[in-house]
Amino acid sequence: AQSVTQLDSQVPVFEEAPVELRCNYSSSVSVYLFWYVQYPNQGLQLLLKYLSGSTLVESINGFEAEFNKSQTSFHLRKPSVHISDTAEYFCAVSEYGKLTFGQGTILTVHP
Amino acid sequence: SQTIHQWPATLVQPVGSPLSLECTVEGTSNPNLYWYRQAAGRGLQLLFYSVGIGQISSEVPQNLSASRPQDRQFILSSKKLLLSDSGFYLCAWNSLRSNTGELFFGEGSRLTVL
């Protein structure tokens, strides 16, 4: 069965600094990978996903994630964060159509 | 396009009272439907999922139950709430026809049991 580990429960950064949210997964088969974002008191929104093709995927608001099959990782990065990026981020892996979530990483961007 | 709505958005209930949270999906048919709970610092916990009308699978034993009376309606219920039922409840759907498993979430319902 698949599992997902988000290595940091909380990540504080200053505005305009780069950030990396780490995600590792375990699975015995090919998987699909997702990052979701949750703003306070809201549902989860899809940020980006890897299904196939290029291992580097990007979101419309400047985040990117790279699928690394050998390291079974799907880390999320942004070169310069904004206050509005403050949220909780969930990594998820899909195996045979079943989604498993990590425990979440709370990103707090300070002015 | 598909939409998902859940209500109420916020609920404060006394211990021992009943609960009913509703979720409706529009713009698709035969969705898979899910109820998740978020308790503080505990990530997302899958409570129930349903692949069709009247078909409910429970992931964890608890004080809650779920029902699917119509194809696009999913209801989370309790006869008597406990303090530990407090949390943020999320309804989600995905398509049986999609093999990626991608989930689409509702806005969430915050339940406080006092």
Side-chain angles (χ1 to χ4, degrees):
Chain A
Q2 74 267 36
S3 65
V4 181
T5 302
Q6 291 184 241
L7 296 157
D8 305 294
S9 60
Q10 298 191 49
V11 174
V13 294
F14 288 106
E15 193 173 18
E16 298 184 5
V19 70
E20 178 180 80
L21 306 184
R22 296 179 292 170
C23 173
N24 286 94
Y25 70 92
S26 66
S27 174
S28 57
V29 300
S30 296
V31 297
Y32 303 114
L33 296 159
F34 305 84
W35 275 101
Y36 284 83
V37 59
Q38 184 181 31
Y39 299 104
N41 292 309
Q42 295 186 25
L44 275 69
Q45 305 171 33
L46 182 67
L47 186 61
L48 47 76
K49 60 186 174 184
Y50 170 78
L51 302 181
S52 65
S54 172
T55 57
L56 184 66
V57 291
E58 298 177 354
S59 72
I60 59 173
N61 58 350
F63 283 94
E64 64 178 31
E66 186 160 19
F67 169 52
N68 188 319
K69 188 174 181 179
S70 62
Q71 297 186 9
T72 60
S73 67
F74 192 53
H75 301 331
L76 182 69
R77 302 184 182 95
K78 189 170 185 178
S80 176
V81 295
H82 302 289
I83 297 288
S84 60
D85 293 324
T86 294
E88 188 162 14
Y89 292 78
F90 291 92
C91 181
V93 60
S94 172
E95 183 181 276
Y96 299 123
K98 182 180 179 182
L99 216 59
T100 299
F101 289 90
Q103 287 294 95
T105 298
I106 297 173
L107 173 65
T108 305
V109 182
H110 298 284
Chain B
S1 65
Q2 301 89 1
T3 58
I4 177 170
H5 296 290
Q6 56 179 114
W7 67 94
T10 305
L11 198 59
V12 180
Q13 292 287 99
V15 169
S17 64
L19 170 73
S20 180
L21 300 179
E22 296 193 33
C23 172
T24 300
V25 179
E26 298 292 337
T28 187
S29 57
N30 302 315
N32 297 322
L33 294 170
Y34 304 80
W35 278 111
Y36 285 86
R37 175 170 61 198
Q38 273 183 299
R42 296 185 63 183
L44 286 166
Q45 182 185 32
L46 178 61
L47 301 176
F48 300 96
Y49 70 92
S50 171
V51 298
I53 295 174
Q55 300 179 62
I56 310 294
S57 296
S58 175
E59 288 291 301
V60 292
Q62 59 208 311
N63 184 44
L64 302 169
S65 62
S67 62
R68 185 169 177 174
Q70 300 179 44
D71 180 47
R72 291 170 292 174
Q73 185 184 26
F74 205 24
I75 298 172
L76 184 69
S77 303
S78 174
K79 293 182 179 178
K80 290 184 177 182
L81 285 168
L82 305 172
L83 287 174
S84 58
D85 292 323
S86 293
F88 193 56
Y89 289 82
L90 290 160
C91 183
W93 75 274
N94 63 11
S95 172
L96 188 63
R97 292 178 291 277
S98 167
N99 64 347
T100 69
E102 180 179 347
L103 283 172
F104 302 90
F105 286 84
E107 310 94 327
S109 297
R110 183 163 300 283
L111 171 66
T112 303
V113 182
L114 301 174

